[in-house]
Amino acid sequence: MGNFLAGKVVAVTGAGRGIGRAVALAAAAEGARVVVNDYGVSVDGASPSSEVAESVVKEIEAAGGEAVAVADDVSTMAGGRRVVDVALSAYGRLDGVVCVAGILRERMLFNMSEEEWDPVVATHLKGTFTVFRAAAAVMRKQRAGTLIGFTSGNHQGSVSQANYSAAKGGIISLVRSAALGLHKYGVTANAVAPVARTRMSAGVPMELAEIGEPEDVAALVVYLLSDRAREQGITGQVYTAAGAKIAVWAQPRELRSAYAEGGSWTPERIAEVLPGAVGVDPMPMLAQLAGMERAAREGARPNG
Ligand SMILES: NC(=O)c1ccc[n+]([C@@H]2O[C@H](COP(=O)([O-])OP(=O)(O)OC[C@H]3O[C@@H](n4cnc5c(N)ncnc54)[C@H](O)[C@@H]3O)[C@@H](O)[C@H]2O)c1
């Protein structure tokens, strides 16, 4: 066992499978005591089971670590609060939370139902809020702590997962808000966009050019939870972890601007000025669409 997280208490949601499980195991292997949360559902969020979280606790204990299971649904305020309360009652403190829990309900926007939209946004975006909300109150008093949200490259947009994409974009804004609002209390917040082989990524209808294992993502998360990352001033960032690759995403910023002569615009004047002076920022995913559609027609898995 290493000691990168020695003495720390870390709660991980969605820790029963895939990337969350790898994060929980890696954090425990580096000395953290871990709250393993998982509602134990299928990829679309159905059929909850408490066994999934408990089996990861057993794995951690078998490896000589300390962990406790919470099988609650983090899309409820009570579920998010319980993750934090169990950390405090079992271990007396909370140094980091990692919100990995997620589900998918794929449908084109023009066919998407409320039952496909609401649970996806509730699991990802609200499920990050509920845990961040309860953890932030504890960390503010401690004057230390780390919040980690899970986003996706799909926050750029998605052909058939507008619900998931919107939730993942929301998580980035939530993380940046947490980084800003908690900075003066010594609390950091960052987001991770993983690409890893799990049951969730197995359903992606394209060949991912850069993909790795959940353990590759876990190494980055353990670093972000550590004092080293705090000392290095890492907050408000979005990092991709895809196998051997780690990348940082740009902060949103205005690219080009134009100002109206006399202080106000007319639609006619905008039509004359906007294309040349302000223009567009080409959408990288739009450029990939034609190739993806062609490959889908031919039954191949296009590169993405
Ligand atoms: N695998 C990838 O390549 C990839 C790519 C981009 C983003 N992500 C994101 O990474 C995260 C982990 O994905 P994964 O591939 O490991 O998926 P996974 O399906 O293997 O694991 C997700 C876990 O979350 C749990 N969960 C679902 N709803 C929950 C709830 N309401 N409360 C508590 N637990 C709940 C599930 O039971 C499951 O064990 C997700 O947020 C996903 O969107 C994954």
Side-chain angles (χ1 to χ4, degrees), residues 13-21 37-43 45 52 70-76 99-104 122-124 150-154 164 168 171 192-202 204 208 211 214:
T13 76
R17 295 191 188 89
I19 296 166
R21 172 179 164 275
N37 161 257
D38 204 293
Y39 195 34
V41 287
S42 55
V43 175
V52 178
V70 175
D72 290 46
D73 172 2
V74 291
S75 72
T76 67
C99 295
V100 192
I103 61 168
L104 286 180
T123 304
H124 292 273
F150 263 66
T151 184
S152 160
N154 264 9
Y164 181 83
K168 291 307 199 187
I171 287 170
V192 173
V195 193
R197 286 181 197 89
T198 66
R199 66 173 190 172
M200 193 185 275
S201 61
V204 174
L208 296 165
I211 187 163

Side-chain angles (χ1 to χ4, degrees), residues 164-255:
Y164 181 83
S165 174
K168 291 307 199 187
I171 287 170
I172 293 178
S173 295
L174 173 58
V175 161
R176 290 200 180 111
S177 300
L180 289 173
L182 293 160
H183 185 68
K184 71 174 177 183
Y185 303 108
V187 177
T188 61
N190 294 288
V192 173
V195 193
R197 286 181 197 89
T198 66
R199 66 173 190 172
M200 193 185 275
S201 61
V204 174
M206 52 188 189
E207 209 69 67
L208 296 165
E210 290 178 311
I211 187 163
E213 302 305 324
E215 290 70 24
D216 300 317
V217 184
L220 174 65
V221 173
V222 166
Y223 161 72
L224 291 173
L225 288 167
S226 73
D227 291 337
R228 295 278 286 281
R230 285 161 58 82
E231 288 155 14
Q232 290 166 351
I234 310 285
T235 194
Q237 303 304 306
V238 181
Y239 291 109
T240 288
K245 179 173 101 171
I246 291 175
V248 67
W249 288 79
Q251 299 287 341
R253 50 174 66 87
E254 292 173 349
L255 280 183

